[in-house]
Amino acid sequence: MAGSASEPGLAALEEELTCSICLCLFSSPVTVPCGHNFCASCLELSWAGLSKNFSCPQCRATFAGRPQLQKNTVLCRVVEQLQGCAGAEAEAGAGAGAGAGEEEAAPTPVYCDSCLQAPAAQTCLTCTASFCAEHLRPHQDSPAFRDHQLCPPLRDLQQRKCPQHNKLFEFFCSQHGSCICSLCLLGHKLCHTSPLQLAKANAESALKKRLMELHNQSERAARAMNTVKTNQSQAAETASRKKDLIRSEFSEIKVLIEETENQTLKVIADEEKRVCNKFDYIYGVLGSKKNEIQSLRDQIEMALTEGDDILFLKRAAALQRMSTKEAFIPAIEMDQNIILSAYQSAINLKEAVKLATAPWREKRAEAKLPLGKPKHPPAAPPNKAFAGKKPPGPQHTQKEKIPHQTQATLQWEADTKERKKPVKVAPTPNPAAAVSSKELIDSFLKKSREELLQYAANITLDYNTAHNKVVLSEGYTRMSVSDIPMNYNNHPQRFTDCSQVLGFQCFKRGIHYWEVELQQNNFCGIGICYGSMNRHGPESRLGRNSSSWCIEWFNCKISSWHNDVEKCLPNVKATKIGVLLHCEGGFVIFMAVGEKHNLIYKFKTQFTEALYPAFWLFSSGTVLSLCQMKQ
Ligand SMILES: *[C@@H]1O[C@H](CO)[C@@H](O)[C@H](O)[C@H]1NC(C)=O
Ligand SMILES: *[C@@H]1O[C@H](CO)[C@@H](O)[C@H](O)[C@H]1NC(C)=O
Ligand SMILES: *[C@@H]1O[C@H](CO)[C@@H](O)[C@H](O)[C@H]1NC(C)=O
Ligand SMILES: *[C@@H]1O[C@H](CO)[C@@H](O)[C@H](O)[C@H]1NC(C)=O
Ligand SMILES: *[C@@H]1O[C@H](CO)[C@@H](O)[C@H](O)[C@H]1NC(C)=O
Ligand SMILES: CC(=O)N[C@H]1CO[C@H](CO)[C@@H](O)[C@@H]1O
């Protein structure tokens, strides 16, 4: 070993001359067609039992049939030479024992034991001595030495002798693992012994077999390493494919949300544009009106400078005939319902997304909690249908299932959300519902009176709500104003400050239509209100609070009122007013009943309480009658 290390050239050569199967120097190397060399015996072993699919153990090149193997004689010789050197060294090392280092420089030859000067030519195993050519001659010539066993010079014969009998080792005892001489055989009668050469051959083949096993083992390890690498890259590929899919799902989600955003923004933009156009138009009209007025002023000023009396009077007369009307400025504003419902739909969407993503955010939050304080999942829904779907068991198993359940949970949570909402906050419809409610209103506006009559409701008046000056007659269907107080008894539902009265019937759901007859040039109001509307003070007046909606005749002027906001309406000459209330649709329509059914005004909102027909009668002489409806 020390010898090869000190000789780098030799070490490199040794590596080149090593069989890749047994990792030893080649022994009778053969070359396979792909150019790789192996010991003949190693190759035989690796191809043992094969009838086809022969392959090179090193590069895995496959050969159609069993290749003809040629002994690589050049390699053989090189190996032999290298072995010669190494063998000599090894023997020298073994002889010198610990002093092997001194032998390094050059392998000293074996000297003749006779003259101790010339290098030995042969060793006689019988004499246990080496001889130079000169001193070997007796062995060759004399018959006395005929039986002596000669061999190439051997170093250190003392090491090959049994220390007990001073005879050369001839046998190997496998029980004791030691070499013995022929005399020792007696002491090893019961052991398995074999001649040295045979023992050597056996040990060699055992070691070669072991090498094969190791070779197989290392092959298996290499294959396992390959599998691990393959599986690793497969895992990476799978993960990246799934990531791509998830990314595309999310970009779809984002597009959907963006589309909704765009649509919602468009609703507002459209409303803005509508109002803007109106403002522009009115601005233009006012502008020309102003010009008209200015031109009239100019003409008058011109006329005033006229010196000629006759001409002046003539002009003055003409100018006095010219009149300019006061500009009519209608109130224009954006439809609050549209604006609010668009905004609410955005908030609703946000809440839905929050709810749907809650499980993931919870997981993340839990992962962040250092001690993993258990967070409670949404309480099991009281609803039996959902309770059945939720698997019982500890929380984390539920957690893992949440993605499948999101739908149901969402639904349920949305339900409870609505239930928990304070009554006053109306659940706002989504954009789709807003669109359909507009269509719904339009469909009712197109209906003829006969069609509306299928929703007819007979209304009677509630005595307990009537103000002290409101007189009820004709079976509580006619109301008028008295000059003197009626001394009604006190009642919590009675109006104390405004001369009003409510219908006895109240409507929480469904569609209802009733008609009221009125006389013109009166002060009166027709509308609806929540039962909770104030009965006292100025706020108890119809339309002056958020709980009532009405149209009001104030002498010749007609206006709509809600939440203390007045809108002036064009005059209609009608003596019969139809009221159509759609509770779920959230609208009430006031119309003039006549040959042509005319819309007077419509309120669109979301009703949160039951609604009562409501009436305001102000001046004495005012009479309102509820019509008995035939279906
Ligand atoms: C030989 O190799 C071919 C292809 O590599 C394979 O399909 C076949 O099963 C193999 N035969 C044997 C006996 O291993
Ligand atoms: C090594 O593997 C080969 C097949 O790959 C097999 O024929 C042989 O028996 C194995 N040898 C040992 C010692 O396991
Ligand atoms: C590699 O993947 C296969 C199936 O794809 C599996 O049977 C095998 O156990 C995996 N090996 C390792 C080391 O992960
Ligand atoms: C939303 O509107 C923006 C700006 O008008 C536009 O660039 C975008 O493509 C729209 N998105 C969708 C999904 O329609
Ligand atoms: C209203 O009352 C009249 C007469 O009292 C009756 O004929 C009619 O059917 C009633 N209408 C409804 C809708 O109840
Ligand atoms: C009882 C009631 O609804 N009162 C409301 C009437 O409307 C005004 C606003 O116009 C509110 O401030 C009151 O609370």
Side-chain angles (χ1 to χ4, degrees):
M1 269 201 321
S4 5
S6 72
E7 196 85 52
L10 212 61
L13 190 61
E14 197 171 325
E15 210 170 293
E16 285 299 308
L17 297 176
T18 297
C19 167
S20 64
I21 298 179
C22 63
L23 305 179
C24 293
L25 282 182
F26 287 120
S27 106
S28 11
V30 289
T31 309
V32 287
C34 55
H36 290 113
N37 298 297
F38 304 95
C39 306
S41 56
C42 290
L43 200 60
E44 287 300 328
L45 262 174
S46 92
W47 284 352
L50 287 185
S51 55
K52 52 179 176 174
N53 285 12
F54 295 94
S55 66
C56 166
Q58 194 162 338
C59 69
R60 300 268 152 223
T62 53
F63 315 119
R66 188 188 183 95
Q68 284 296 321
L69 297 175
Q70 293 290 319
K71 187 171 176 182
N72 191 329
T73 48
V74 176
L75 208 54
C76 269
R77 239 173 294 135
V78 177
V79 172
E80 270 161 25
Q81 274 181 12
L82 186 75
Q83 266 174 329
C85 296
E89 252 174 63
E91 272 170 25
E102 295 155 20
E103 309 275 340
E104 273 170 21
T108 48
V110 179
Y111 292 104
C112 173
D113 284 324
S114 193
C115 59
L116 297 176
Q117 275 175 359
Q122 293 225 275
T123 297
C124 174
L125 292 176
T126 317
C127 308
T128 62
S130 301
F131 302 102
C132 60
E134 174 77 21
H135 293 105
L136 190 63
R137 203 158 298 145
H139 272 80
Q140 286 158 340
D141 301 346
S142 166
F145 296 108
R146 194 185 300 148
D147 293 337
H148 281 208
Q149 214 181 330
L150 293 175
C151 69
L154 286 175
R155 191 181 298 276
D156 215 352
L157 282 167
Q158 220 45 47
Q159 292 287 322
R160 298 172 166 265
K161 278 183 185 167
C162 168
Q164 207 182 336
H165 305 102
N166 206 27
K167 273 179 72 72
L168 280 176
F169 289 131
E170 279 178 80
F171 300 95
F172 179 77
C173 169
S174 43
Q175 248 91 344
H176 294 87
S178 55
C179 298
I180 51 177
C181 70
S182 51
L183 289 180
C184 296
L185 267 179
L186 284 171
H188 291 261
K189 255 185 195 154
L190 297 174
C191 302
H192 176 79
T193 54
S194 46
L196 281 181
Q197 287 308 312
L198 185 60
K200 184 185 173 198
N202 284 345
E204 259 177 9
S205 82
L207 282 182
K208 285 220 167 146
K209 191 160 169 247
R210 175 95 183 97
L211 267 182
M212 278 304 300
E213 276 168 17
L214 290 176
H215 175 69
N216 279 10
Q217 260 182 17
S218 106
E219 287 254 293
R220 279 197 294 277
R223 270 200 298 277
M225 282 163 72
N226 273 343
T227 314
V228 166
K229 271 285 163 218
T230 315
N231 283 15
Q232 186 182 25
S233 61
Q234 269 171 2
E237 199 184 310
T238 309
S240 105
R241 237 190 352 254
K242 275 284 175 289
K243 278 195 222 160
D244 283 347
L245 286 177
I246 289 172
R247 263 186 219 109
S248 87
E249 289 296 324
F250 271 90
S251 55
E252 248 182 80
I253 294 173
K254 283 178 204 155
V255 167
L256 286 177
I257 289 184
E258 198 182 314
E259 266 172 19
T260 314
E261 178 189 356
N262 284 4
Q263 277 168 15
T264 313
L265 289 176
K266 191 171 177 297
V267 167
I268 303 286
D270 286 351
E271 180 61 11
E272 181 193 2
K273 197 169 165 207
R274 183 186 69 82
V275 171
C276 258
N277 286 344
K278 277 201 175 170
F279 278 125
D280 280 346
Y281 173 73
I282 287 168
Y283 189 82
V285 168
L286 288 176
S288 48
K289 190 99 200 164
K290 187 166 166 280
N291 289 344
E292 198 183 309
I293 294 167
Q294 188 58 45
S295 117
L296 188 57
R297 277 182 59 186
D298 291 349
Q299 285 179 51
I300 292 176
E301 272 166 13
M302 277 288 289
L304 284 173
T305 60
E306 180 59 63
D308 187 329
D309 290 354
I310 305 298
L311 223 53
F312 171 74
L313 283 173
K314 204 170 153 190
R315 277 208 199 145
L319 283 172
Q320 269 165 335
R321 273 199 303 277
M322 284 172 75
S323 71
T324 51
K325 274 194 212 128
E326 199 56 45
F328 172 69
I329 308 169
I332 298 169
E333 58 186 58
M334 297 210 283
D335 188 330
Q336 287 303 312
N337 284 333
I338 291 178
I339 308 259
L340 286 181
S341 82
Y343 179 49
Q344 189 64 41
S345 77
I347 290 177
N348 289 352
L349 180 60
K350 181 185 75 179
E351 292 301 326
V353 171
K354 259 193 198 167
L355 263 177
T357 54
W360 283 276
R361 273 179 287 118
E362 252 170 50
K363 258 187 203 164
R364 204 183 49 198
E366 253 166 39
K368 276 186 194 161
L369 278 181
L371 281 173
K373 204 178 170 190
K375 227 174 142 187
H376 288 289
N383 195 325
K384 285 259 165 17
F386 291 123
K389 278 187 198 165
K390 274 219 168 169
Q395 183 218 331
H396 30 273
T397 54
Q398 275 188 15
K399 266 274 146 66
E400 277 155 28
K401 299 217 163 124
I402 271 180
H404 307 281
Q405 284 190 315
T406 312
Q407 199 63 37
T409 315
L410 240 179
Q411 182 66 50
W412 173 75
E413 283 181 14
D415 286 350
T416 38
K417 257 236 147 100
E418 254 177 48
R419 260 182 261 134
K420 272 188 256 164
K421 265 182 189 167
V423 204
K424 285 279 170 186
V425 179
T428 322
N430 55 33
V435 167
S436 72
S437 94
K438 189 180 179 321
E439 281 167 7
L440 187 64
I441 294 177
D442 287 345
S443 79
F444 273 92
L445 289 176
K446 282 191 206 113
K447 282 190 202 299
S448 69
R449 177 162 182 267
E450 282 63 40
E451 284 174 299
L452 291 176
L453 280 179
Q454 62 174 305
Y455 307 111
N458 279 339
I459 309 274
T460 50
L461 297 164
D462 183 359
Y463 161 79
N464 284 328
T465 62
H467 180 263
N468 229 349
K469 280 188 162 183
V470 175
V471 181
L472 307 181
S473 55
E474 293 184 10
Y476 299 105
T477 60
R478 186 174 185 273
M479 57 210 115
S480 54
V481 181
S482 150
D483 289 332
I484 46 162
M486 301 297 291
N487 286 328
Y488 293 144
N489 57 1
N490 285 337
H491 194 279
Q493 297 298 324
R494 196 177 299 288
F495 288 104
T496 57
D497 296 286
C498 300
S499 47
Q500 297 179 144
V501 63
L502 301 186
F504 190 77
Q505 289 75 14
C506 82
F507 305 113
K508 174 80 185 137
R509 59 192 84 248
I511 307 164
H512 309 279
Y513 177 73
W514 62 91
E515 290 179 347
V516 189
E517 261 196 77
L518 71 159
Q519 291 151 22
Q520 281 190 46
N521 295 339
N522 276 333
F523 294 81
C524 65
I526 297 175
I528 53 170
C529 70
Y530 292 147
S532 64
M533 186 179 77
N534 247 343
R535 298 294 196 266
H536 316 292
E539 267 187 16
S540 62
R541 173 99 177 262
L542 277 186
R544 297 341 188 247
N545 53 59
S546 54
S547 312
S548 57
W549 298 258
C550 75
I551 48 171
E552 199 175 271
W553 283 258
F554 203 87
N555 216 351
C556 299
K557 193 175 82 174
I558 304 182
S559 344
S560 72
W561 280 94
H562 170 61
N563 215 1
D564 215 12
V565 174
E566 179 184 19
K567 279 181 206 166
C568 292
L569 306 177
N571 211 332
V572 278
K573 303 212 183 315
T575 55
K576 211 183 230 185
I577 305 300
V579 183
L580 182 103
L581 170 66
H582 195 309
C583 295
E584 286 84 0
F587 59 87
V588 59
I589 302 174
F590 296 92
M591 46 198 123
V593 181
E595 287 160 34
K596 215 171 145 241
H597 228 48
N598 277 326
L599 168 73
I600 298 175
Y601 195 71
K602 61 176 193 283
F603 288 101
K604 171 84 189 81
T605 182
Q606 199 80 32
F607 299 122
T608 56
E609 289 179 41
L611 291 154
Y612 291 80
F615 309 93
W616 172 70
L617 306 99
F618 182 63
S619 59
S620 65
T622 302
V623 176
L624 293 178
S625 309
L626 292 162
C627 306
Q628 288 307 295
M629 316 283 291
K630 284 176 239 33
Q631 263 180 311

